[in-house]
Amino acid sequence: MGQSENIIVRRNYVYENVAGIEIENSRHALVEYNYAHNNTGGILAFLTQGLPIKTCYDVIIRNNYVYNNNHVNFGAVGSTVSNIPKGTGILIMAADDVTLENNIIIGNDNAGVTITDYTFAGVDHANDP
């Protein structure tokens, strides 16, 4: 989901993607009861530069099963997700007020949970106010 608000992502089975579930530049999102496996990154909440909506906040990620997200990253070169390392369970990048509750996160070779700023994905946001 990108550039949206009042989002519910519930009871999905996502696999073999770069980003299994993605909440991008969005507000008031609930991500629950999903299975995310064999993606590069299982569940992501982040900002992408250069878009009209400049915030990502009030995201609840709960009761998900996030496992074995070790798929090779095939994202378009230069895109935000192209720099996400395989083996990422949940990634929170430059987002505010994100709540993680009661998730099962196992078998992700890089990290279960990563909380970071833009530098994690090699993003130069200097030109985006």
Side-chain angles (χ1 to χ4, degrees), residues 21-106:
I21 295 172
E22 177 179 313
I23 305 298
E24 174 196 47
N25 297 55
S26 295
R27 298 159 315 276
H28 315 301
L30 174 61
V31 179
E32 66 179 356
Y33 302 112
N34 298 288
Y35 289 84
H37 78 94
N38 200 30
N39 303 287
T40 303
I43 300 176
L44 291 67
F46 65 93
L47 285 173
T48 296
Q49 66 177 1
L51 297 176
I53 294 176
K54 305 291 185 195
T55 58
C56 183
Y57 64 87
D58 187 24
V59 178
I60 299 170
I61 301 170
R62 68 179 181 205
N63 301 317
N64 298 286
Y65 191 31
V66 183
Y67 61 103
N68 299 337
N69 289 287
N70 302 309
H71 198 287
V72 66
N73 189 323
F74 56 90
V77 175
S79 68
T80 300
V81 296
S82 69
N83 292 307
I84 295 168
K86 71 177 185 173
T88 299
I90 296 177
L91 171 65
I92 301 166
M93 185 178 73
D96 295 309
D97 298 320
V98 179
T99 302
L100 300 178
E101 298 177 325
N102 200 37
N103 297 286
I104 298 172
I105 307 165
I106 58 173

Side-chain angles (χ1 to χ4, degrees), residues 96-125:
D96 295 309
D97 298 320
V98 179
T99 302
L100 300 178
E101 298 177 325
N102 200 37
N103 297 286
I104 298 172
I105 307 165
I106 58 173
N108 303 287
D109 291 345
N110 179 53
V113 177
T114 301
I115 302 171
T116 187
D117 62 9
Y118 277 124
T119 58
F120 178 78
V123 176
D124 176 12
H125 62 280

